[in-house]
Amino acid sequence: AMTLGKCFTRVMKISCILASFSVYAADAVPASDFNISAYSDTSYNYLLNNHQFINGVNDRTNDLAQNGFTLQQIGVTLAKQPKVGFGGLFNVVVGRDVYALAPNGWNPYYGSQTLNMFVPQAFLQYATGPFTFAAGMFEAMIGYENFDPNKDANFSRSILDGFAEPGIFIGAHMFYDMTDKVQWAFGVNNGWAGLRDHGHGKCI
């Protein structure tokens, strides 16, 4: 078990690393081209009953504490996505939610059962005219719920979020802006929510 002091120290170390990287990146790229955003999500949870089915599998994905506070997520996004030319996006998430969000093949623990880390998005892109080409790790466009709590309608995510929605894809995508409000997307990705391509099948 991790003591409160150790947990706080680890959070502070990660926060300092992210802050240092953000300051360096902001200095290296003109401010007009570079965007840094962050959020934190903390909860207090109280359950009258346990959070498991009869077979012992959790019936919830993120809010598992029966009685107590939880650091659900701290998220930081660094992005340079111009309308023309090269760009990219890097997104890192730290917190308890990572246990349910991390794709197959990613070990989120780093020595802790509560303070976990993963990268839901990291890709490079090239934009020209109405087309944008991108390759890397993406948030899947399939599924209602989002890893980012600011984009999710529910705090207590559904069972589908934990067991059926893909969450993360690795592959290459092409986007076509038909109008300023309509965008088409085509992509080829590894399998389903996995970093390792065990079956060599592709999702199109």
Side-chain angles (χ1 to χ4, degrees), residues 4 15 29 50 73 91 96 111 121 152 165 167-168 173 185 187-188 191 195 197 199 201:
L4 184 61
S15 299
V29 180
N50 68 32
Q73 291 187 37
N91 179 207
R96 175 62 183 78
Q121 298 185 95
D152 205 326
E165 296 181 9
I168 305 300
H173 293 177
V188 179
L195 299 184
D197 193 10

Side-chain angles (χ1 to χ4, degrees), residues 77-151:
T77 301
L78 312 174
K80 181 190 178 190
Q81 296 178 287
K83 294 294 185 181
V84 177
F86 287 98
L89 183 145
F90 179 80
N91 179 207
V92 62
V93 173
V94 177
R96 175 62 183 78
D97 286 358
V98 171
Y99 172 77
L101 297 172
N104 297 323
W106 181 286
N107 178 9
Y109 293 110
Y110 296 93
S112 169
Q113 293 292 318
T114 55
L115 188 62
N116 311 314
M117 186 273 288
F118 91 126
V119 177
Q121 298 185 95
F123 60 85
L124 297 175
Q125 69 174 51
Y126 179 76
T128 176
F131 294 96
T132 300
F133 303 91
M137 184 163 15
F138 303 89
E139 174 194 355
M141 290 180 281
I142 301 171
Y144 173 73
E145 289 158 306
N146 195 290
F147 73 88
D148 183 343
N150 297 294
K151 300 176 182 177

